Amino acid sequence: MQFSRLTAVVTLSSALLVTACTGAQDGSDGVSTTSASGASDTATSTEGTDAGAATSAPAEDDAASTTTAMTTDESAAVLSVEEAEQVATTLLANRQKAYTTSQQWIKKAQQKAYMSTARTAAAAEARLARALDQKVAAAEDPGEANVLAISREDGKRPIFLFVQSVPKSGVPVLHLMESRTGETKDFRIIWEASMLPGTEIPTFDRRSVGTPVLRSGKGDLVEAPRDVLKKLAAFISYPQPEDKPDYKTNGYAAAVRKAASKQADAVSDQASLREKNWLVSEDTKVLMFEDGSALVLGALLRDTTFDIKDNAVLNAPDTFRVFTDDGELTDQAVLRTSVFVAMRVPSKETGGEPVLLAAREQLVDAWGS
């Protein structure tokens, strides 16, 4: 009996372009954000808290030539808009090379584009693609780097850029770029995910003023960022716990549950299935929106475990064998997936419930016996 489902896949398609109000009072730099409002989700179940969409007014911004020295605001971004755009463009180009360069140089290319959990996911994705002779979406031309937010100077490190790209597929991809030293040469992508159908990114402060980073605690948010991600992790585990948070996931949680249930049914004669997700705490980053709500970016790890019944055998698919030589499994099989998520968490003033804006899943390891 084969088990083919490795990660829940939420398929996204066509997106709408929404022009942002860029410096309405002091000129425009032509910055735009692409929403996923017009995208469709093949996992059509959106019952309960999965229904709805995150929408907002577009973001206000400065002219492209604005530098931190020119701003009259007391607060200032860690980089000028021009510097940020140059960094983002370079990193997106490095990202593309991380999937298209020759095998000899691919590890070095990955190191120039990614860091931390995002690098692990990128390396696994490239490894799977090579082994199975598949194309990777990240290898496509990412299009123009659209810098949506630059972190505000607060005397602390790391510093961040939040960037959107729209490849030829039309599905907007979000990227968080970090420099631990504050030097532009040290920026790397530490998180990325595709926007979910029906979502938009709310307004950040102007880029020259910079976006505040919530580095600890919960501030004025309705829930602590890590607690929100931990509840989401439990919400999408299988079997699902009885306690369900009042979150909108725009079809994602329903798709994950449906995929797990379908796979459990497919192997029910040979094995039982359980899935557990947990938070990679150090990957949680929080950028504040203009209205006081927050963009919470984080990574989860998911283990999908097949406990094989007595006298039963599971035949591992090719994707499983990329990570291990075990083909016929008689005891247990485990698939490990990195899950990257972005949530808007409201403040006490704005009210409302947390909303999932983007998600990405990538198989990163597998083992069994």
Side-chain angles (χ1 to χ4, degrees):
M1 180 67 184
Q2 289 191 345
F3 55 100
S4 58
R5 181 257 178 178
L6 296 177
T7 58
V9 178
V10 180
T11 304
L12 309 176
S13 60
S14 62
L16 298 178
L17 185 68
V18 179
T19 301
C21 297
T22 55
Q25 296 180 348
D26 56 358
S28 171
D29 65 358
V31 171
S32 63
T33 61
T34 301
S35 74
S37 303
S40 62
D41 186 354
T42 56
T44 56
S45 176
T46 56
E47 76 278 7
T49 58
D50 292 344
T55 60
S56 73
E60 183 177 321
D61 212 342
D62 302 282
S65 60
T66 301
T67 66
T68 54
M70 293 173 61
T71 182
T72 58
D73 297 271
E74 183 178 349
S75 301
V78 292
L79 297 178
S80 70
V81 174
E82 182 178 15
E83 288 175 318
E85 290 177 338
Q86 290 174 347
V87 168
T89 298
T90 298
L91 264 187
L92 289 186
N94 290 346
R95 172 182 180 265
Q96 189 179 19
K97 290 177 183 177
Y99 293 94
T100 57
T101 194
S102 65
Q103 177 63 26
Q104 180 182 2
W105 302 106
I106 194 165
K107 185 175 182 179
K108 182 174 288 188
Q110 290 166 354
Q111 291 173 344
K112 292 183 67 175
Y114 290 100
M115 195 164 56
S116 303
T117 306
R119 185 190 294 173
T120 300
E125 186 175 22
R127 180 180 176 184
L128 281 163
R130 290 195 308 272
L132 304 177
D133 195 24
Q134 296 175 343
K135 292 184 178 180
V136 179
E140 296 180 7
D141 183 347
E144 183 179 355
N146 188 3
V147 178
L148 302 182
I150 306 170
S151 63
R152 182 174 295 179
E153 179 58 68
D154 59 4
K156 299 179 181 179
R157 299 291 179 267
I159 61 175
F160 302 97
L161 300 178
F162 186 59
V163 178
Q164 182 190 66
S165 64
V166 185
K168 291 181 180 179
S169 66
V171 180
V173 180
L174 304 175
H175 317 265
L176 184 65
M177 302 174 178
E178 173 190 294
S179 172
R180 293 177 178 173
T181 65
E183 299 292 330
T184 57
K185 65 181 178 63
D186 293 328
F187 270 100
R188 297 293 186 273
I189 298 169
I190 64 165
W191 177 99
E192 63 184 10
S194 298
M195 292 178 66
L196 293 171
T199 62
E200 293 180 2
I201 302 301
T203 306
F204 290 101
D205 286 317
R206 295 197 318 275
R207 294 182 299 177
S208 64
V209 174
T211 292
V213 178
L214 183 64
R215 298 186 184 272
S216 62
K218 62 180 285 188
D220 292 327
L221 302 178
V222 295
E223 290 188 71
R226 285 183 176 83
D227 289 345
V228 171
L229 296 183
K230 288 177 181 177
K231 288 182 181 180
L232 177 67
F235 187 33
I236 59 176
S237 292
Y238 183 87
Q240 189 184 67
E242 293 183 3
D243 293 335
K244 302 176 184 178
D246 187 20
Y247 295 170
K248 290 183 178 179
T249 68
N250 292 297
Y252 175 73
V256 174
R257 289 194 298 268
K258 183 178 180 180
S261 178
K262 183 177 180 180
Q263 184 63 76
D265 289 343
V267 299
S268 60
D269 291 339
Q270 288 77 29
S272 61
L273 181 149
R274 51 191 166 90
E275 284 189 338
K276 182 179 180 180
N277 302 272
W278 65 93
L279 175 65
V280 183
S281 294
E282 62 269 24
D283 285 351
T284 303
K285 310 298 179 185
V286 185
L287 304 179
M288 303 305 297
F289 290 120
E290 186 181 47
D291 65 1
S293 63
L295 178 67
V296 177
L297 305 160
L300 312 176
L301 279 178
R302 173 187 301 149
D303 277 356
T304 303
T305 302
F306 298 82
D307 291 311
I308 303 169
K309 297 179 180 180
D310 293 341
N311 301 317
V313 176
L314 287 181
N315 295 316
D318 291 341
T319 42
F320 188 94
R321 299 187 194 200
V322 171
F323 299 99
T324 178
D325 292 332
D326 293 318
E328 291 189 349
L329 306 166
T330 58
D331 181 29
Q332 189 178 79
V334 182
L335 305 170
R336 175 159 291 178
T337 302
S338 284
V339 184
F340 299 89
V341 294
M343 297 195 73
R344 176 183 178 268
V345 178
S347 66
K348 296 174 183 177
E349 183 176 348
T350 60
E353 63 279 289
V355 178
L356 188 66
L357 302 179
R360 174 195 172 208
E361 300 193 349
Q362 177 59 51
L363 179 70
V364 295
D365 202 359
W367 61 90
S369 61

